[in-house]
Amino acid sequence: MILNFPFITMVLVTIIGLCIILFRKNLLKVIMGISLIESAMNLFIVALDFKEGGIAPIFTLAPLEPGVEPAAAASAMVLPVPQALCLTSIVIAVATGALMLSFAMLIYRKYGTLDISKIRRLNG
Amino acid sequence: MRMSKIVTITADLLPPFILAFGLYVIAHGHLTPGGGFQGGAVTATGLLLMIVAYSYKDIAKAIRQDRFKLYESLGLIIVIGVGYIAFLYGATFFTNWLVNTPLPFGTYVPFGPNPGDLNTGGTMPLYNIFVGVEVFCGLTIVVLYMLSGLEEGEGSS
Amino acid sequence: MRTITKVIPVIILLAFFMAMAASFDFGRPFQTAMDDYFIEHGQEQVGTNNIVTTIVFDYRGFDTLGEASVLLTAVLGVGLLFRRFSKGEEDEAAEEEDWQEVAER
């Protein structure tokens, strides 16, 4: 149970983010909860590809033991594909976060308050 | 609204080092951890430190926003253009047309760990540089727009 | 919404996620055939030492192209939201609000 520590952390952070979205009334705090869920998902996708005793998948000055064949020692590298997908996910989180915060600024300018139970007037 | 004396002095001293480190991360993207997106974010932090420490009215006169918008669009267009040049070699879109050729960035790399050579990599350093330019300009424009919206909101309400 | 309607799904999700997290095998990935191919042939086919960057920009370059477009679109969206109205557009916006008040009555 203690060996699955990254996955347990991911579950706890996701549940905390979900509770923030459900139970808080300020719009900026809801945006913070969404950002927490996105960060937990990035942690999950990177924790899926770890090999025990692994090194980074980079060949520049790799810390392999001398005298071992490179082909056999390259099997100690962790998997590189989920790390590449996590990069895309981080950039998309930044883009949606910037748009959400801009919308919050405009809502405050128009309504005068950030309480989500009072912003209910849809035109049309 | 300027920040205190300590913050402005730090913002005067730090940006050259941050910019140099950011450009190093962009340029060595094919040898060390890093690349276009990470290096672009670090470089944008170096510029945003100056924007945050001084008031928006002083900075808005010094930075030309039209140039930043132009460079951001140009960065993405050149990335697509480098992918299009692969059509001249009879291959599909986005093929690496510089690897294992006598052109620059075309040295052959054998399998196994080695101290890196900057001349390798094919079209990858070109992608790194132009995506880094796009990310840097994009993040700066977002922060400048948000600060200008804040000023206008306070003035009207 | 009442509080009990919000608490029950959170507890169900917490139990389900915990059971899933405890059943993972941390340190022994399930299938590694694709990644072994990338590590073995990345240096001679692409010519870099950094395997993660070869996957981001060469083997899966279309995802990176889409991601750069998403970043550009987000910057365009922020620029659209914070535009300044010229004199003519401000009058147009005020006219719209007058029509709405008439429609509500």
Side-chain angles (χ1 to χ4, degrees):
Chain A
M1 180 76 165
I2 198 69
L3 291 174
N4 283 347
F5 199 56
F7 295 111
I8 295 177
T9 313
M10 186 276 294
V11 166
L12 284 177
V13 172
T14 309
I15 296 295
I16 288 177
L18 201 62
C19 285
I20 291 177
I21 296 179
L22 285 175
F23 290 116
R24 286 286 165 225
K25 294 227 177 311
N26 197 352
L27 195 61
L28 286 183
K29 297 189 181 175
V30 170
I31 292 177
M32 281 192 221
I34 295 178
S35 178
L36 266 185
I37 294 184
E38 283 171 342
S39 297
M41 288 303 141
N42 288 331
L43 173 66
F44 176 60
I45 203 171
V46 171
L48 274 180
D49 70 339
F50 184 65
K51 277 195 198 173
E52 282 192 47
I55 56 177
I58 296 172
F59 276 107
T60 308
L61 304 174
L64 302 171
E65 295 117 20
V68 185
E69 238 189 47
S75 65
M77 289 187 171
V78 295
L79 312 183
V81 174
Q83 301 181 13
L85 301 176
C86 174
L87 273 178
T88 307
S89 175
I90 290 177
V91 171
I92 291 179
V94 162
T96 56
L99 275 177
M100 282 194 280
L101 288 175
S102 304
F103 271 123
M105 279 171 73
L106 279 184
I107 284 179
Y108 180 71
R109 195 193 289 175
K110 187 167 169 62
Y111 285 93
T113 176
L114 276 178
D115 198 356
I116 60 173
S117 55
K118 297 189 175 55
I119 309 174
R120 297 189 142 255
R121 203 182 57 159
L122 267 182
N123 301 323
Chain B
M1 174 189 61
R2 286 167 72 105
M3 298 263 188
S4 66
K5 196 75 171 162
I6 298 180
V7 178
T8 52
I9 289 181
T10 310
D12 285 339
L13 292 176
L14 274 184
F17 301 103
I18 301 180
L19 285 175
F21 183 66
L23 291 176
Y24 161 78
V25 169
I26 293 179
H28 287 71
H30 54 289
L31 296 174
T32 53
F37 294 99
Q38 295 95 314
V42 173
T43 315
T45 307
L47 197 60
L48 291 181
L49 181 62
M50 286 193 289
I51 293 178
V52 164
Y54 290 95
S55 71
Y56 173 69
K57 292 194 184 57
D58 299 337
I59 292 290
K61 296 193 209 77
I63 292 183
R64 289 178 282 201
Q65 288 195 5
D66 301 335
R67 297 288 183 92
F68 274 102
K69 293 178 204 171
L70 177 70
Y71 290 150
E72 181 192 8
S73 310
L74 267 184
L76 190 55
I77 289 177
I78 292 181
V79 164
I80 300 180
V82 170
Y84 259 120
I85 294 180
F87 281 145
L88 294 177
Y89 287 78
T92 56
F93 190 53
F94 254 50
T95 310
N96 205 338
W97 49 277
L98 269 182
V99 71
N100 295 336
T101 54
L103 296 170
F105 294 127
T107 318
Y108 174 72
V109 175
F111 179 70
N114 55 344
D117 189 9
L118 203 60
N119 206 10
T120 62
T123 54
M124 200 148 305
L126 298 176
Y127 284 141
N128 275 334
I129 291 173
F130 288 114
V131 167
V133 163
E134 189 210 341
V135 171
F136 165 58
C137 297
L139 289 181
T140 308
I141 287 178
V142 161
V143 170
L144 283 176
Y145 267 131
M146 283 193 178
L147 281 177
S148 82
L150 189 65
E151 297 281 330
E152 183 185 313
E154 281 181 13
S156 69
S157 69
Chain C
M1 275 207 278
R2 291 199 235 165
T3 314
I4 194 72
T5 323
K6 296 182 197 174
V7 168
I8 291 186
V10 171
I11 293 184
I12 294 178
L13 275 178
L14 179 65
F16 179 63
F17 280 165
M18 275 298 182
M20 187 188 74
S23 78
F24 269 127
D25 215 359
F26 182 62
R28 276 174 291 270
F30 192 49
Q31 279 180 356
T32 63
M34 181 172 70
D35 302 285
D36 287 339
Y37 179 85
F38 284 154
I39 291 178
E40 213 172 322
H41 296 273
Q43 273 187 317
E44 54 191 55
Q45 281 182 1
V46 182
T48 66
N49 285 340
N50 194 352
I51 308 295
V52 178
T53 313
T54 70
I55 292 183
V56 162
F57 279 113
D58 193 9
Y59 287 111
R60 299 219 178 208
F62 274 117
D63 300 342
T64 308
L65 189 64
E67 168 192 357
S69 306
V70 163
L71 200 58
L72 185 80
T73 312
V75 170
L76 277 182
V78 171
L80 181 72
L81 283 176
F82 283 120
R83 69 175 190 261
R84 293 169 191 260
F85 288 104
S86 54
K87 194 69 173 143
E89 290 182 14
E90 234 178 50
D91 288 339
E92 222 177 77
E95 228 179 72
E96 243 182 63
E97 287 189 12
D98 291 330
W99 277 114
Q100 264 166 20
E101 285 178 11
V102 167
E104 277 171 22
R105 262 189 265 132

